[in-house]
């Protein structure tokens, strides 16, 4: 397999796994070059675990984990030891996970572990920081509304997911964010950011036995707790309809799409091939909308999947006068997948593309560590031989079947943002 | 160019007989190879009535050659292997780049060379692509942050040619016909005016041999003159516009020296202290008062001119307070010497960032190609040595010389 012979391939056999007494799973991928170590920690504490009472809590975790610990009481102190070494520490609230990310030069490993464990275990979530971060989150929500591309997505996702837990916004909640009390936020955190719910991945210039020993030393104090409920709510039915909104000054933005099954369904393989044909390898939307007609700069398809549910979408920005034409072309190109079998060349290109773009996309240790926690948390391994084989097995009939079943413009949710 | 800038300790270098420089960084551990080809010449070298033609022209290199007659044929083979191909046009250079698995290096190089040597610039494709560029233009205007920064750049440099932004305008794009695009190409796309950088699991000698062959037919000629201009004076300006939405955008900044000036290194320290490391702006505006979700700030340089700027999105009611807080922090760095600790932190940050920021093959290749093509910035280790030699007095001196808040350019976009 070429590159894999040198220990570099992106397969599961290059990842070592251990479980700490507190239940946290530790993954390690040792590669000596470049001289960098990245750590990624994911806890199943994302927005989907919120309810009406706790809505907005995940976003607060993203903010408050960088706002002060007992030893480093202010936001200016928390990341400083890593920042002054050119490294980074970040947090991110997703739908499934709240994620902690950091990377440094190997020589600064101890500093990174000290800061990251301080952040995860000792953040104070003080009342005055909560009030400050509530203002910050509301400013961010304001900014999201002012950007038509972001606004379109913020309307589209909940419209497709409906009453599914994935409909919860990861950006905060206009009504509930200012209402959340410290007790509620800390309760959400203490229930979910626990060993039984957490995966820690280390990638880079640190041998696996050392990685396990370091992580155990720094993170064994994370309480064990209980795992969050499994993510197994099926995708909702399609929610056809058109939602119009105004934003921006010059360009219209459209998104069309609908539900698809989650990653646990083997339909993810033909869906990725279909998406590649529309975008990355077959350029069908790009060719018809941009290259032949110059109607948009950025026509782009996507399939976004979580363990139990997901969605497909096609988006583009265009002059308001061209809106209908762009929609017609999207509609036609997506229907075409259902009626016209892909050529052998389309299939080969899409499969090669999916294989190669994984290698290109996972160039950095930070990207690899993120993929490792995602694979472990979702229970669906992209970094595996099984994934590669799954892609290779896809037939033209499979693609046609999933296109007929899911990629249905006639039942699509359509969001249109006009200036 | 100074002697220092020739040493290239971070890369191997060869100059081909046709004048093209080839820089490589061998990474035997890498899974992917990046190619970055930088052509000197960008929007600052354009005429006022056709500015944007350089960027528009860059698009035309993706529109077909005799052997790859459509843009599908240009993009397709690389994309179908999971790689990507792209380009950008900046103020002083145009960069074409590809990232592929190591084994696809030949495919990517041959595609880029075919584009650069043989692109057809067909009349009907030009008219179609003008529409795409116009969509790109209005897409930028739709994003209030981006629009605010563009307005700032258009004004802060006064009459300096840097005020011409790569994207152009509706009018200048309409003025840019095939003749204009081809004239820019023919004046600048010469082997002697180009640098090819390759980073990945590739041997230097092999890369040189393949680049030589691939660009055998690249037009050549004397390297074009690159006119510099004096640094513009700082002038107090206030540019106000209304925008849709509920959030105001503020950009506040001043002209500063370019990368060719020795004060660049002390200004990098000033910028890091106000921004990423010292967190002085974000500390006051976000951490203490929750007035914004963040503060962007940067010291951006061209070869002979630069600017320092800060940008904040905030509720309209906070605008005056935010502008006052930015002003206060600039006054502070001018009047109060930074501590030895702050200085060391900023230096250590800049050094560490150099390693981590140039981690990906494309980041490093692009850094090498653009640095060499523009030809002003020294190699990385020399750059870091100069940063390391900055003193507390240097910081105070450059802050006083260039950052007088009474002469700042302020862009203010308020919701209607």
């Amino acid at each position: 397999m070429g590159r894999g012979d040198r220990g570099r391939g992106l397969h599961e056999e290059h990842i070592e796994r251990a479980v700490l007494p507190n239940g946290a799973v530790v993954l390690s991928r040792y590669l000596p070059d470049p001289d960098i170590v990245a750590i990624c920690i994911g806890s199943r504490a994302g927005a989907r675990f919120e309810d009406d009472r706790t809505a907005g809590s995940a976003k607060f975790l993203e903010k408050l984990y960088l706002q002060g610990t007992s030893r480093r009481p202010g936001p200016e102190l928390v990341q400083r030891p890593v920042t002054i070494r050119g490294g980074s520490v970040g947090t991110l609230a997703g739908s499934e996970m709240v994620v902690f990310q950091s990377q440094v030069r190997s020589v600064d490993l101890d500093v990174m572990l000290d800061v990251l464990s301080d952040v995860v275990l000792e953040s104070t979530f003080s009342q005055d920081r909560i009030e400050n971060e509530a203002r910050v989150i509301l400013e961010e929500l304001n900014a999201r509304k002012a950007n038509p591309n972001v606004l379109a997505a913020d309307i589209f996702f909940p419209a497709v997911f409906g009453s599914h837990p994935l409909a919860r916004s990861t950006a905060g909640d206009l009504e509930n964010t200012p209402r959340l009390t410290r007790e509620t936020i800390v309760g959400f955190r203490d229930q979910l950011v626990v060993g039984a719910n957490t995966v820690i991945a280390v990638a880079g210039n640190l041998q696996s036995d050392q990685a396990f020993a370091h992580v155990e030393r720094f993170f064994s104090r994370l309480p064990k707790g209980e795992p969050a409920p499994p993510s197994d709510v099926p995708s909702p039915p399609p929610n056809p309809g058109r939602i119009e909104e105004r934003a921006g000054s010059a360009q219209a933005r459209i998104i069309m799409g609908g539900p698809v099954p989650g990653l646990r369904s083997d339909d993810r393989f033909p869906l990725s091939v279909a998406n590649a044909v529309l975008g990355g390898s077959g350029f069908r939307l790009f060719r018809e909308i941009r290259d032949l007609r110059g109607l948009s700069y950025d026509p782009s398809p996507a399939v976004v999947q979580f363990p139990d549910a997901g969605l497909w979408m096609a988006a583009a920005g265009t002059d308001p006068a061209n809106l209908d034409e762009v929609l017609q072309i999207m509609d036609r190109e997506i229907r075409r997948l259902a009626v016209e079998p892909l050529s052998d060349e389309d299939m080969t290109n899409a499969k090669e593309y999916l294989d190669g773009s994984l290698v290109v996309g996972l160039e950095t240790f930070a990207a690899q560590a993120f993929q490792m926690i995602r694979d472990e948390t979702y229970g669906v391994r992209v970094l595996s031989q099984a994934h590669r084989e799954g892609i290779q097995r896809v037939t033209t009939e499979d693609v046609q079947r999933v296109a007929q079943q899911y990629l249905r413009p006639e039942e699509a949710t359509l969001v249109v943002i006009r200036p | 160019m100074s002697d220092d800038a020739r040493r290239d300790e971070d890369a191997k270098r060869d100059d081909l007989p046709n004048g093209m420089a080839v820089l490589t960084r061998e990474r035997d551990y890498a899974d992917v190879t990046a190619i970055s080809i930088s052509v000197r010449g960008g929007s600052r070298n354009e005429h006022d009535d056709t500015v944007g033609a350089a960027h528009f022209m860059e698009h035309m290199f993706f529109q077909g050659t005799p052997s790859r007659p459509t843009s599908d044929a240009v993009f397709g083979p690389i994309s179908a292997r999971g790689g990507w191909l792209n380009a950008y046009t900046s103020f002083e250079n145009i960069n074409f780049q590809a990232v592929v698995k190591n084994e696809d290096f030949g495919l990517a190089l041959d595609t880029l060379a075919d584009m650069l040597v043989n692109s057809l610039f067909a009349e009907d494709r030009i008219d179609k692509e003008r529409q795409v560029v116009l969509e790109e233009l209005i897409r930028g205007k739709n994003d209030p942050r981006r629009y605010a920064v563009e307005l700032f750049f258009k004004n802060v440099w006064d009459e300096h040619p840097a005020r011409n932004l790569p994207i152009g305008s509706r009018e200048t794009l309409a003025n840019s016909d095939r003749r204009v695009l081809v004239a820019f190409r023919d004046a600048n796309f010469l082997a002697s005016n180009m640098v090819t950088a390759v980073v990945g699991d590739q041997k230097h000698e092999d890369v040189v041999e393949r680049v030589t062959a691939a660009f055998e037919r690249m037009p050549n000629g004397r390297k074009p003159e690159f006119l510099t201009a004096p640094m513009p004076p700082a002038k107090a300006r206030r540019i106000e516009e209304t925008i849709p939405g509920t959030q105001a955008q503020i950009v506040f900044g001043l002209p500063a020296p370019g990368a060719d000036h020795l004060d660049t290194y002390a200004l990098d320290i000033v910028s890091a202290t106000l921004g990423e490391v010292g967190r002085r702006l974000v500390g006051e505006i976000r951490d203490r008062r929750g007035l914004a979700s963040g503060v962007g700030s940067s010291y951006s340089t061209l070869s002979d001119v630069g600017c320092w700027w800060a940008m904040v999105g905030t509720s309209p009611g906070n605008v005056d307070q935010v502008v006052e807080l930015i002003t206060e922090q600039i006054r502070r760095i001018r009047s109060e010497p930074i501590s030895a600790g702050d200085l060391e932190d900023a230096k250590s940050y800049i050094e560490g960032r150099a390693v981590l920021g140039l981690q990906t093959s494309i980041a490093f290749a692009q850094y090498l190609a653009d640095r060499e093509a523009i030809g002003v910035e020294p190699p990385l280790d020399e750059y870091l040595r100069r940063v390391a030699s900055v003193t507390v007095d240097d910081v105070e001196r450059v802050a006083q010389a260039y950052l007088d808040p009474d002469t700042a350019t302020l862009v203010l976009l308020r919701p209607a």
Side-chain angles (χ1 to χ4, degrees):
Chain A
M1 75 186 68
R3 299 303 169 190
D5 299 340
R6 293 159 68 173
R8 290 191 276 161
L10 294 162
H11 305 218
E12 72 265 54
E13 57 265 34
H14 300 117
I15 298 169
E16 308 248 10
R17 186 176 188 276
V19 182
L20 300 185
N22 64 6
V25 174
V26 188
L27 304 169
S28 158
R29 184 159 196 271
Y30 164 58
L31 285 169
D33 290 305
D35 195 10
I36 288 168
V37 183
I39 297 184
C40 195
I41 302 174
S43 292
R44 295 182 61 233
R48 70 174 297 156
F49 300 104
E50 297 169 354
D51 53 31
D52 289 344
R53 190 181 61 88
T54 57
S57 294
K59 188 66 179 182
F60 259 118
L61 297 197
E62 173 189 297
K63 300 292 181 196
L64 291 170
Y65 271 117
L66 298 175
Q67 294 300 310
T69 70
S70 19
R71 270 193 297 147
R72 301 181 177 101
E76 72 286 4
L77 303 172
V78 174
Q79 306 165 63
R80 190 171 181 86
V82 171
T83 310
I84 63 171
R85 289 165 171 85
S88 57
V89 184
T91 52
L92 179 72
S95 288
E96 284 289 325
M97 294 184 285
V98 165
V99 175
F100 306 82
Q101 291 175 295
S102 186
Q103 59 166 351
V104 291
R105 290 176 288 175
S106 310
V107 62
D108 298 320
L109 173 70
D110 286 341
V111 176
M112 168 165 69
L113 284 163
D114 178 45
V115 169
L116 261 185
S117 59
D118 197 29
V119 161
V120 175
L121 300 169
E122 304 294 341
S123 282
T124 42
F125 284 43
S126 70
Q127 184 59 38
D128 68 313
R129 295 322 300 167
I130 289 173
E131 286 164 21
N132 193 70
E133 295 311 296
R135 288 193 290 273
V136 167
I137 293 167
L138 292 175
E139 285 291 345
E140 281 184 17
L141 288 170
N142 248 337
R144 296 180 77 87
K145 283 197 192 163
N147 184 319
N149 292 10
V150 178
L151 176 66
D154 282 354
I155 295 173
F156 176 76
F157 275 76
V160 172
F161 282 125
S163 59
H164 192 283
L166 287 168
R168 294 257 174 217
S169 168
T170 59
D173 186 294
L174 214 45
E175 270 99 58
N176 212 42
T177 291
R179 283 203 296 255
L180 284 170
T181 62
R182 178 171 193 277
E183 197 189 348
T184 307
I185 300 166
V186 168
F188 186 84
R189 174 192 75 183
D190 291 347
Q191 191 193 335
L192 294 168
V193 184
V194 291
N197 237 353
T198 296
V199 179
I200 302 174
V202 184
N205 189 14
L206 182 64
Q207 293 192 2
S208 296
D209 52 345
Q210 289 179 40
F212 295 143
H214 279 301
V215 170
E216 173 146 23
R217 182 153 70 88
F218 280 92
F219 291 94
S220 59
R221 282 185 304 114
L222 184 65
K224 180 163 188 159
E226 296 289 327
S231 296
D232 59 3
V233 182
S235 284
N239 176 23
R242 178 171 176 136
I243 304 169
E244 297 240 8
E245 190 66 61
R246 286 194 178 271
S249 56
Q251 197 176 47
R253 177 81 180 171
I254 44 186
I255 306 183
M256 70 153 64
V260 300
L263 289 167
R264 292 202 192 101
S265 157
D266 278 351
D267 282 349
R268 73 184 159 111
F269 299 116
L271 279 167
S272 0
V273 170
N275 187 51
V277 171
L278 287 174
S281 65
F283 305 112
R284 287 191 178 176
L285 295 184
F286 182 92
R287 182 186 310 113
E288 296 295 322
I289 296 172
R290 171 170 163 164
D291 202 38
L292 294 179
R293 294 176 186 81
L295 297 172
S296 171
Y297 176 73
D298 58 359
S300 47
V303 171
V304 180
Q305 287 177 290
F306 297 91
D308 51 346
L311 57 78
W312 67 273
M313 59 193 269
T318 186
D319 196 293
N322 301 329
L323 238 165
D324 290 337
E325 193 179 357
V326 172
L327 278 173
Q328 273 169 25
I329 297 169
M330 280 183 175
D331 188 284
R332 188 186 75 212
E333 285 304 314
I334 291 162
R335 283 175 203 263
R336 190 177 147 205
L337 285 169
V339 294
E340 183 187 305
L342 296 178
S343 69
D344 289 349
E345 194 192 348
D346 283 336
M347 291 296 287
T348 310
N349 285 347
K351 290 175 180 182
E352 289 270 334
Y353 162 79
L354 291 168
D355 196 59
S357 57
L358 200 57
V359 176
V360 170
L362 292 173
E363 188 183 353
T364 63
F365 292 143
Q368 292 170 24
F370 182 79
Q371 190 66 49
M372 285 156 68
I373 63 159
R374 195 170 178 267
D375 281 8
E376 178 74 26
T377 303
Y378 287 15
V380 177
R381 286 172 212 286
V382 170
L383 301 178
S384 73
Q385 198 53 39
H387 177 81
R388 288 173 177 231
E389 287 168 9
I391 298 282
Q392 291 310 318
R393 270 200 309 271
V394 174
T395 63
T396 53
E397 292 78 21
D398 293 335
V399 177
Q400 226 175 329
R401 177 180 57 77
V402 297
Q404 287 163 7
Q405 206 170 340
Y406 310 116
L407 308 184
R408 299 166 68 85
E410 66 275 22
E411 291 179 343
T413 302
L414 176 62
V415 174
V416 177
I417 312 288
R418 286 177 200 267
Chain B
M1 190 185 299
S2 72
D3 288 336
D4 282 340
R6 282 277 173 195
R7 277 186 286 147
D8 301 320
E9 282 127 336
D10 45 10
K12 291 187 183 171
R13 178 195 173 118
D14 258 281
D15 292 297
L16 305 188
N18 65 8
M20 180 187 288
V22 179
L23 276 74
T24 67
R25 174 79 163 191
E26 293 176 23
R27 286 180 166 174
D28 62 2
Y29 57 81
D31 287 322
V32 303
T33 294
I35 308 175
S36 174
I37 302 179
S38 191
V39 183
R40 192 186 204 199
S43 58
R44 69 167 292 171
N45 309 106
E46 297 192 71
H47 299 292
D48 286 350
D49 52 354
T50 56
V51 65
H55 167 251
F56 182 7
M57 177 213 64
E58 168 240 293
H59 276 232
M60 294 313 300
F61 284 98
F62 293 84
Q63 298 300 314
T65 71
S67 56
R68 293 174 174 83
T70 61
S71 44
D72 275 15
V74 174
F75 276 106
I78 290 175
S79 190
R81 301 279 304 161
W84 57 263
L85 184 64
N86 209 340
Y88 62 81
T89 298
S90 188
F91 294 90
E92 300 187 309
N93 73 305
I94 303 176
N95 191 307
F96 295 81
Q97 49 192 221
V99 179
V100 290
K101 293 193 276 188
N102 289 321
E103 67 216 56
D104 297 325
F105 169 57
L107 167 69
L109 180 67
D110 291 346
T111 304
L112 283 163
D114 187 33
M115 289 161 59
L116 288 163
V117 176
N118 302 314
S119 279
L120 295 165
F121 282 57
E123 201 74 66
D124 60 328
R125 302 292 293 171
I126 289 177
D127 288 336
K128 186 278 304 179
E129 199 60 21
R130 186 181 290 107
Q131 297 307 311
V132 172
V133 176
L134 284 169
E135 288 293 338
E136 190 179 354
L137 175 85
I138 62 174
R139 181 179 191 260
K141 286 211 189 317
N142 235 23
D143 176 350
R145 293 180 185 226
R146 200 184 164 123
Y147 182 60
V149 175
E150 284 187 8
L151 269 183
F152 172 77
F153 282 155
K154 277 183 186 166
N155 287 281
V156 70
W157 286 313
D158 206 54
E159 293 300 307
H160 188 283
R163 74 182 187 287
N164 280 340
L165 305 193
I167 190 71
S169 68
R170 276 188 188 279
E171 298 70 40
T172 59
L173 288 167
N175 293 340
S176 301
D177 56 14
R178 185 173 195 278
R179 192 185 47 81
V180 174
L181 304 192
V182 168
F184 189 94
R185 180 191 70 185
D186 292 348
N188 294 285
F189 280 59
L190 303 170
S192 59
N193 202 36
M194 295 166 66
V195 178
T196 297
V198 175
V199 175
D201 188 7
Q202 311 293 341
K203 293 273 169 254
H204 177 74
E205 296 70 28
D206 186 40
V207 170
V208 171
E209 196 176 306
R210 291 165 89 158
V211 172
T212 306
F215 284 96
E216 204 184 352
R217 292 184 40 246
M218 186 74 208
N220 207 352
R222 200 156 44 145
K223 200 178 162 109
E225 286 282 322
F226 192 87
L227 297 176
T228 57
M231 195 181 124
K235 278 187 206 164
R237 295 182 186 85
R238 192 179 172 102
I239 296 130
E240 297 205 42
E241 288 191 17
T242 58
I243 49 168
T246 56
Q247 202 183 40
Q249 301 294 334
I250 301 165
V251 182
F252 182 104
L254 294 117
D260 65 349
H261 199 289
L262 286 172
D263 286 343
T264 283
Y265 310 95
L267 279 162
D268 280 337
I269 303 275
V270 169
S271 183
T273 305
L274 288 168
E276 309 94 308
V277 191
R279 291 175 66 86
R280 289 190 179 181
L281 294 172
V282 81
E284 293 298 322
I285 294 167
R286 179 205 190 284
D287 295 347
R288 260 206 203 151
R289 296 178 181 83
L291 297 173
S293 68
V295 180
S297 70
S298 167
Y299 168 44
S300 318
T301 56
L302 278 64
S303 57
D304 58 354
V305 75
C307 61
W308 177 87
W309 54 283
M311 142 168 220
V312 183
T314 187
S315 298
N318 300 333
V319 164
D320 293 342
Q321 195 184 358
V322 168
V323 171
E324 188 48 42
L325 289 168
I326 297 172
T327 308
E328 236 174 67
Q329 288 307 313
I330 296 175
R331 288 194 204 287
R332 180 178 160 212
I333 207 160
R334 285 161 62 84
S335 61
E336 176 188 311
I338 70 168
S339 70
D342 282 350
L343 179 63
E344 284 321 303
D345 286 351
K347 289 178 179 179
S348 144
Y349 159 76
I350 291 170
E351 190 193 336
R353 182 186 61 177
V355 174
L356 291 157
L358 298 175
Q359 193 183 154
T360 61
S361 52
I362 188 57
F364 205 81
Q366 188 178 301
Y367 162 74
L368 289 174
D370 285 355
R371 183 188 80 198
E372 190 62 29
I374 294 167
V376 169
E377 201 181 312
L380 194 54
D381 56 347
E382 176 60 21
Y383 167 79
L384 293 174
R385 267 197 295 277
R386 292 184 189 180
V387 169
S389 71
V390 171
T391 65
V392 169
D393 290 346
D394 291 335
V395 172
E396 194 175 345
R397 181 179 54 75
V398 300
Q400 287 179 0
Y402 305 114
L403 301 185
D404 175 359
D406 294 335
T407 59
T409 295
L410 173 66
V411 170
L412 191 48
L413 307 183
R414 288 183 202 262

